[in-house]
Amino acid sequence: MTIKVKAVIGSTSSTSYNLKLVKFMAERYKEELEITPVLINDLEMFSIDIESEPTVAVQTFKDDVKDSDAVMFATPEYNFSIPGAMKNALDWLSRGGDFTLHGKTGFIVGSSMGVFGSVRAQIHLREILSNPALAPNLLPGNEVYIGAVHTKMDEEGNITDEATIAYLDTVVQNFIAFHKKQQAIAHA
């Protein structure tokens, strides 16, 4: 049985390397993971004024993420942190009392043209996700930081760097084992 994974894409760019990475992963791991990208481009800025009556785009986003077995976060790094659009999406997921992410297994991937591959963004993202109103159960110790991604991906969005592919293979297998273990604990 495949694990249904919703991948929140932290970039709103039409040429996002992180979206390309997620699409590559969706194809490569399709026998084990049903990965569906979830875009955040059309989300209204969070405001307590509209929290109880979110826009259709916001409610659709929250429902889409909730309809999953697990969640992946794919983030670039902007100014040593996550993009504002990603923070806005997380604000929406944390509000409304429905605990959209609470207890879902998840993992984080990130790529950038810089050498650090979104490491600082992922540090901030993990801190934000530790909020009790979010609280996904993140895979520990398997950070995916793909630096200089533009040199490791072809024009079609395929990862061409064998070491990167091998590492992704390892992380995905670790995530599958982690997910199964968490599911067994939850149903014990």
Side-chain angles (χ1 to χ4, degrees):
M1 182 174 94
T2 59
I3 301 167
K4 188 176 186 179
V5 179
K6 296 297 174 86
V8 178
I9 309 300
S11 172
T12 59
S13 170
S14 63
T15 60
S16 169
Y17 283 111
N18 286 284
L19 178 56
K20 291 175 184 177
L21 170 61
V22 166
K23 287 180 177 180
F24 171 82
M25 293 177 72
E27 179 60 29
R28 183 166 180 85
Y29 307 112
K30 66 184 174 190
E31 299 300 320
E32 300 154 311
L33 303 177
E34 180 188 327
I35 300 173
T36 305
V38 179
L39 303 179
I40 59 175
N41 302 39
D42 297 326
L43 299 181
E44 182 85 20
M45 288 299 295
F46 175 79
S47 171
I48 198 162
D49 296 335
I50 60 172
E51 177 182 4
S52 62
E53 295 180 23
T55 64
V56 171
V58 168
Q59 192 60 56
T60 300
F61 165 70
K62 291 179 76 168
D63 292 345
D64 198 12
V65 172
K66 191 168 196 142
D67 180 32
S68 65
D69 301 319
V71 65
M72 177 193 325
F73 300 92
T75 188
E77 183 173 307
Y78 293 177
N79 297 315
F80 297 176
S81 191
I82 62 172
M86 173 71 103
K87 177 62 168 76
N88 183 56
L90 294 171
D91 289 344
W92 277 113
L93 290 173
S94 74
R95 302 298 293 228
D98 56 0
F99 300 100
T100 306
L101 295 176
H102 194 266
K104 282 190 186 289
T105 55
F107 64 111
I108 301 171
V109 299
S111 66
S112 72
M113 292 174 68
V115 295
F116 294 118
S118 80
V119 66
R120 292 170 291 209
Q122 289 191 40
I123 290 169
H124 287 173
L125 181 56
R126 284 182 184 278
E127 183 177 352
I128 294 164
L129 290 171
S130 72
N131 177 324
L134 292 167
N137 194 356
L138 293 175
L139 174 67
N142 284 261
E143 289 80 12
V144 177
Y145 313 122
I146 303 175
V149 67
H150 59 293
T151 67
K152 298 173 182 172
M153 189 177 281
D154 65 20
E155 293 294 321
E156 288 77 42
N158 298 304
I159 301 290
T160 56
D161 181 72
E162 291 302 320
T164 300
I165 293 170
Y167 186 69
L168 283 173
D169 289 348
T170 298
V171 170
V172 167
Q173 290 310 308
N174 290 344
F175 175 73
I176 292 167
F178 174 76
H179 177 79
K180 287 178 180 177
K181 181 178 179 182
Q182 296 305 310
Q183 290 299 302
I185 290 169
H187 295 103

